[in-house]
Amino acid sequence: MQKNALITGITGQDGSYLAEFLLEKGYQVFGMVRRSSTENFERIEHIRDRVTLIQADLLDQMSLISAISESQPEEIYNLAAQSFVPTSWTKPVLTAEFTALGVTRMLEAMRLVKKDARFYQASSSEMFGKVKETPQTEQTPFHPRSPYGVAKVYGHFITVNYRESYDLFACSGILFNHESPRRGYEFVTRKVTDAVARIKLGLQNEVALGNLDAKRDWGYALDYVEMMWMMLQQEEPDDYVIATGETHSVQELVETAFGHVGLNWKDHVRIDPRFVRPAEVDMLIGDPKKSREKLGWQPRVSFEQLVQMMVDSDLELVQKQISAGAAR
């Protein structure tokens, strides 16, 4: 029997990879999109004729009820959020509406319309913030250091609460940083790989960055969306850390990216205090032991492979823009 899946945030990095993954498994995929005057379907353009897009908004309860009624999903993946940490300081209330209360609206809509569906909530390593232990596990206490992290903690616990209160199959994946060539340009990984491509091709000479000492556990987005699906195939709902178990500094990211094209990063990187967070999260590293033991999940792409893949992709992209006379 063909399964239906509803993905919120389908036009984002994770949503687009998840949609591809589920289509390959024979799902009928529904994607929730907000009504917007500047619709951006770039990441799903190649599969747009194979997915059904439904207009709905995490801020509007009735639209979510309609989306679930229309799609009748066996699985719901809630990936939509205000997901850029720096923006959460300039728009803290909006971040809370989308990233915290939006989860409640989604769970409530599922409870009312499709109680037997399985629900995946995209939790975040930013919930750990000022870390209480290293590495971080499913049991590590949260101490978020941004409005985004605070909102994600709410989203995480409201998912646990609905699971325990209403016996829903609701899971949270505590995802550590995960990147790909589809990452938004505002994120440091893509900012670096795009800059490396432009510097290599002579379009710019430097890139401005913030704290080079910040450490993150970076994995490949496609590896991580597979884990989301695996969580919903289990007999019992549970929460899992999704991470590589390795940590790398922003400086290592920079060295790897510039080194891949034969450049010395010190010639091209400028430190700009504007990009340093008001409250920094210095060290994130996840312990994926539970997901490996219970689900048999292993990340396949290494940090170096990931960075090189992103640089190669951006070189190709910028070269196409130059050829078309459209380079930024």
Side-chain angles (χ1 to χ4, degrees):
M1 185 192 87
Q2 186 182 43
K3 282 186 179 178
N4 291 1
L6 175 64
I7 303 172
T8 75
I10 193 171
T11 58
Q13 169 186 261
D14 293 6
S16 64
Y17 280 121
L18 180 62
E20 281 176 1
F21 179 83
L22 293 175
L23 286 169
E24 283 175 19
K25 292 210 166 285
Y27 280 68
Q28 183 169 1
V29 175
F30 295 83
M32 208 179 89
V33 292
R34 295 173 67 206
R35 175 75 190 94
S36 167
S37 56
T38 55
E39 292 175 338
N40 181 9
F41 298 126
E42 187 183 336
R43 295 185 183 95
I44 57 167
E45 206 57 63
H46 61 296
I47 54 169
R48 189 139 175 219
D49 59 340
R50 298 170 61 202
V51 301
T52 305
L53 299 181
I54 300 174
Q55 282 191 3
D57 196 313
L58 285 178
L59 304 187
D60 179 32
Q61 183 77 61
M62 283 309 298
S63 72
L64 301 181
I65 289 172
S66 297
I68 294 176
S69 297
E70 184 180 334
S71 56
Q72 287 296 309
E74 277 77 29
E75 296 172 9
I76 299 170
Y77 295 87
N78 186 41
L79 310 184
Q82 189 302 98
S83 62
F84 188 46
V85 175
T87 299
S88 74
W89 273 289
T90 55
K91 296 181 178 175
V93 177
L94 188 68
T95 298
E97 285 286 356
F98 276 118
T99 308
L101 293 180
V103 186
T104 317
R105 294 188 190 102
M106 203 71 210
L107 284 162
E108 188 64 6
M110 174 177 134
R111 184 179 75 84
L112 294 172
V113 179
K114 194 81 169 64
K115 198 177 176 191
D116 62 341
R118 296 188 166 203
F119 182 87
Y120 171 84
Q121 166 60 14
S123 286
S124 167
S125 59
E126 289 284 335
M127 300 189 305
F128 295 120
K130 190 173 183 180
V131 298
K132 299 285 192 283
E133 62 181 6
T134 301
Q136 292 90 52
T137 73
E138 292 80 4
Q139 306 305 318
T140 303
F142 300 135
H143 186 146
R145 298 267 281 171
S146 66
Y148 170 77
V150 172
K152 278 291 186 185
V153 170
Y154 176 97
H156 180 85
F157 277 125
I158 201 70
T159 302
V160 172
N161 185 257
Y162 267 66
R163 177 169 75 216
E164 294 176 352
S165 303
Y166 301 116
D167 199 27
L168 299 182
F169 195 108
C171 302
S172 284
I174 305 172
L175 273 69
F176 280 68
N177 295 59
H178 48 291
E179 319 295 320
S180 76
R182 296 182 194 172
R183 194 51 143 155
Y185 287 101
E186 68 272 27
F187 291 88
V188 69
T189 45
R190 187 70 190 281
K191 181 179 178 179
V192 167
T193 61
D194 175 61
V196 166
R198 292 175 180 284
I199 291 167
K200 183 66 178 175
L201 295 171
L203 294 180
Q204 68 187 59
N205 189 49
E206 66 172 20
V207 59
L209 298 173
N211 179 12
L212 296 187
D213 297 324
K215 290 185 170 161
R216 295 291 182 272
D217 184 328
W218 276 300
Y220 179 37
L222 187 54
D223 286 345
Y224 286 34
V225 300
E226 181 180 358
M227 173 70 172
M228 297 174 188
W229 174 80
M230 290 169 81
M231 287 169 62
L232 295 196
Q233 311 316 308
Q234 304 307 303
E235 286 189 15
E236 297 293 330
D238 205 349
D239 306 323
Y240 296 87
V241 162
I242 310 181
T244 68
E246 293 179 11
T247 190
H248 299 274
S249 66
V250 176
Q251 183 169 318
E252 283 178 77
L253 163 71
V254 168
E255 286 172 358
T256 305
F258 277 96
H260 185 53
V261 297
L263 294 174
N264 184 344
W265 69 274
K266 292 179 181 174
D267 298 334
H268 303 283
V269 172
R270 175 171 58 83
I271 303 302
D272 188 330
R274 286 180 308 153
F275 297 118
V276 177
R277 295 181 183 185
E280 181 57 272
V281 174
D282 295 313
M283 170 83 163
L284 289 175
I285 175 168
D287 182 354
K289 183 180 177 190
K290 180 177 171 181
S291 55
R292 286 179 178 169
E293 289 182 355
K294 286 190 77 170
L295 306 179
W297 177 80
Q298 286 274 69
R300 287 189 280 265
V301 175
S302 72
F303 172 74
E304 288 76 16
Q305 289 171 322
L306 174 63
V307 176
Q308 290 168 5
M309 174 201 304
M310 291 177 68
V311 171
D312 289 342
S313 173
D314 278 330
L315 278 168
E316 192 179 320
L317 197 63
V318 176
Q319 191 66 65
K320 276 184 191 164
Q321 291 169 353
I322 291 171
S323 301
R328 289 187 281 120

